[in-house]
Amino acid sequence: MSALAANTLAAYTTSTGEAFQFWVLGTVAVIGALCTILMRKAIHSALCLAGTMIVLAVFYLANGAYFLGIVQIVVYTGAIMMLFLFVVMLVGVTAADSVKETIKGQRWWAAACALGFGVLLIAGIGHASLTRFNGLGAANGAYGGNVEGLAALVFTKYVFAFEITGALLITAAVGAMVLTHRERTERARTQRELAEQRVREGTHVPPLPAPGVYARHNAVDIAGLLPDGTPAELTVISTLRKRGQIRDVSGEALADLKALEQRSAERLGRKARDGEEASR
């Protein structure tokens, strides 16, 4: 049997391992795609989309498209999605995101686009199932490999489209920078002016105390203790306090302080007795 016939036969047959991989990873990809559009928080949607992209990369690698699989992980998942997460964190999306629609009719437009995409997907699958194809092995064999074949197509037949896509990506990156840039309408106050304002307002004049002072740990979510053992409110930022992410160690810290004082008293008393005996 020739190599072309073997590749054609392999393209039309599916092994048990391939079928198991498709149904398991396909289910994960669909769930991730649904979570991308159903999650209320932008961070969670971005993470679900990143998971779906990784599953697609596994599909590409399993079907012999090694270059496309690596590009899917490095470029889309590793670069674009991380850039999206960075922009989300830069803009400052909080847990209190507004779900109110600001663009009228966007749900109808989204439904129409989804319907059109579904029609194109069904048409593509139907065309692939009704038309004979040689498979990826024959296409790679014509150029000597997957990477060589992609390079020949990108830098010869589709070089103009490739350059236009690069220009569009650069334009999108510059546009994102322009949209996230905030023009300052007033002069930034100096440290001296800020200190004078704190003095006039009668607020906490010196810097805020560090977290975990006189406690067992100095993590940012542990309140510092005053000399009497009570927790200091100013040692933990208000954001963690509103989220309820503060670890309460006041009781444990008080017990440790009491034990420390007791050991110190015993040590000092022992030293005092030793000093009296030595003087005698």
Side-chain angles (χ1 to χ4, degrees):
M1 183 181 293
S2 62
L4 180 59
N7 292 330
T8 304
L9 181 61
Y12 281 92
T13 57
T14 302
S15 62
T16 305
E18 291 176 343
F20 178 79
Q21 179 193 52
F22 172 79
W23 288 110
V24 172
L25 296 181
T27 304
V28 175
V30 171
I31 293 175
L34 292 176
C35 292
T36 301
I37 61 177
L38 295 178
M39 287 291 182
R40 292 184 176 271
K41 295 183 180 180
I43 296 294
H44 296 167
S45 297
L47 292 176
C48 292
L49 182 58
T52 303
M53 288 184 175
I54 293 176
V55 173
L56 293 179
V58 174
F59 280 142
Y60 294 145
L61 295 174
N63 286 277
Y66 304 113
F67 181 81
L68 189 58
I70 297 301
V71 168
Q72 179 75 17
I73 295 177
V74 175
V75 178
Y76 287 95
T77 307
I80 297 179
M81 285 306 304
M82 295 304 105
L83 178 61
F84 178 77
L85 290 175
F86 176 76
V87 171
V88 169
M89 292 184 291
L90 181 65
V91 172
V93 179
T94 61
D97 295 339
S98 176
V99 296
K100 184 179 180 181
E101 296 184 4
T102 57
I103 303 176
K104 295 182 179 180
Q106 62 177 350
R107 292 182 181 272
W108 295 103
W109 283 107
C113 292
L115 181 61
F117 179 77
V119 171
L120 292 177
L121 184 62
I122 293 174
I125 295 175
H127 179 73
S129 60
L130 297 177
T131 305
R132 296 183 60 86
F133 56 93
N134 295 327
L136 190 60
N140 292 336
Y143 293 95
N146 181 256
V147 178
E148 291 81 357
L150 286 173
L153 292 176
V154 167
F155 294 105
T156 56
K157 184 178 181 180
Y158 299 104
V159 61
F160 184 73
F162 184 76
E163 296 296 334
I164 292 296
T165 304
L168 289 176
L169 291 176
I170 294 175
T171 305
V174 174
M177 295 175 59
V178 172
L179 291 176
T180 55
H181 178 69
R182 183 180 64 180
E183 293 289 343
R184 184 177 295 276
T185 58
E186 57 184 9
R187 183 181 62 86
R189 290 177 295 179
T190 61
Q191 292 292 333
R192 182 181 181 85
E193 293 173 348
L194 293 175
E196 292 176 353
Q197 180 182 0
R198 289 197 298 268
V199 172
R200 287 194 302 267
E201 294 177 353
T203 57
H204 195 79
V205 178
L208 295 178
V213 180
Y214 297 117
R216 293 187 60 185
H217 307 282
N218 59 350
V220 295
D221 58 345
I222 295 181
L225 299 179
L226 297 175
D228 59 351
T230 58
E233 299 292 334
L234 296 177
T235 55
V236 181
I237 60 177
S238 58
T239 303
L240 295 179
R241 190 174 301 281
K242 292 179 180 179
R243 293 177 178 175
Q245 297 178 346
I246 301 176
R247 287 187 287 176
D248 185 13
V249 295
S250 56
E252 183 181 359
L254 285 174
D256 292 341
L257 287 176
K258 187 179 295 185
L260 179 62
E261 292 175 356
Q262 184 177 0
R263 289 195 299 270
S264 300
E266 293 176 356
R267 188 179 299 107
L268 291 175
R270 190 182 305 110
K271 287 183 178 180
R273 289 193 300 270
D274 294 342
E276 291 177 358
E277 293 177 359
S279 61
R280 291 176 183 176

